[in-house]
Amino acid sequence: MWPDRVKLQLNFDVEKMKCDVRLLDSIEWVSHFVKQNYLGDWSIIPLRGPAHATHPILMSHSNPGCNEITDTPYLQNLNYIPKVLNTFMCPLLSVRLMKLTAGSEIKRHIDYDLSVEMGTVRLHIPIITHNKVTFWVNDKVVPCNAGECWYLRLSDPHYVTNESDIDRVHLVLDVTVNAWLERMLYSAQHGH
């Protein structure tokens, strides 16, 4: 059994990622479709999603049964985030920018299919964050800093509070577990 959190030995350029987020200033963020899981405003810009989806909500849906995943037009306008994605030598499924506005919270919930053991994981790369943004997994804080990459076992109970006065933005990748990712997790866990 893998731990419920592992900080991968990857760090990304925060300023370049922020520049990419600013390139999308004219794009309307789409409210997260699972309304019962949050209070306030939690929204998405889809960067990869189901190949035939045309509406942003459908583009942002992480569907484990979908075999055809492609970049969205939003990703094609960015400079640095595509390079970040190319770092991952595992199949990329859904990729989204996810914003939790100041004063909002993601309620405690479970994503049953997101763990190494289930074969699909969610990786978080904070882009814009604050020390008053708190991510909890199994009632313990995950110290997510901007530019880091975290595997979190979200099949366990988790929630997020944004008690800051800024909007938190993460790059969120759903990926298929393969040998490369298992090596990355093992190396990070054991300090290799």
Side-chain angles (χ1 to χ4, degrees):
M1 185 98 147
W2 294 89
D4 66 1
R5 70 203 63 204
V6 177
K7 182 169 78 81
L8 296 169
Q9 295 173 326
L10 297 169
N11 282 289
F12 299 102
D13 188 312
V14 175
E15 291 310 312
K16 287 181 180 177
M17 288 192 292
K18 285 180 180 178
C19 285
D20 274 3
V21 171
R22 283 193 293 275
L23 288 173
L24 297 171
D25 277 349
S26 64
I27 304 298
E28 186 174 341
W29 291 73
V30 178
S31 292
H32 196 289
F33 44 88
V34 187
K35 304 273 188 204
Q36 69 268 21
N37 278 1
Y38 62 96
L39 295 172
D41 186 15
W42 187 25
S43 54
I44 298 166
I45 294 179
L47 302 180
R48 281 183 61 79
H52 304 294
T54 55
H55 191 280
I57 289 178
L58 296 175
M59 288 179 196
S60 66
H61 184 61
S62 184
N63 182 350
C66 181
N67 296 326
E68 290 184 64
I69 306 291
T70 190
D71 296 347
T72 71
Y74 308 119
L75 181 63
Q76 295 164 9
N77 294 326
L78 305 182
N79 298 315
Y80 181 66
I81 288 176
K83 294 173 183 155
V84 170
L85 300 184
N86 286 335
T87 304
F88 294 88
M89 300 292 112
C90 52
L92 298 177
L93 304 172
S94 169
V95 176
R96 301 165 281 184
L97 289 169
M98 300 187 82
K99 176 169 62 175
L100 186 66
T101 59
S104 297
E105 71 177 74
I106 301 169
K107 296 179 188 177
R108 183 183 174 95
H109 68 286
I110 292 172
D111 296 300
Y112 291 97
D113 55 347
L114 292 175
S115 69
V116 174
E117 296 79 9
M118 296 297 292
T120 302
V121 301
R122 183 162 292 160
L123 304 174
H124 276 258
I125 303 171
I127 298 174
I128 300 168
T129 192
H130 189 278
N131 61 8
K132 289 188 177 178
V133 175
T134 312
F135 203 128
W136 302 78
V137 176
N138 289 318
D139 297 319
K140 293 182 183 161
V141 174
V142 180
C144 298
N145 295 307
E148 297 176 344
C149 179
W150 284 85
Y151 157 67
L152 305 171
R153 189 172 61 230
L154 299 182
S155 60
D156 290 353
H158 59 282
Y159 58 99
V160 183
T161 56
N162 183 354
E163 296 176 344
S164 77
D165 57 0
I166 65 164
D167 297 343
R168 180 213 81 164
V169 177
H170 280 197
L171 177 63
V172 179
L173 298 76
D174 286 3
V175 304
T176 301
V177 177
N178 66 0
W180 176 86
L181 184 57
E182 286 185 349
R183 282 193 305 274
M184 292 294 289
L185 289 167
Y186 183 86
S187 293
Q189 187 182 354
H190 298 286
H192 297 177

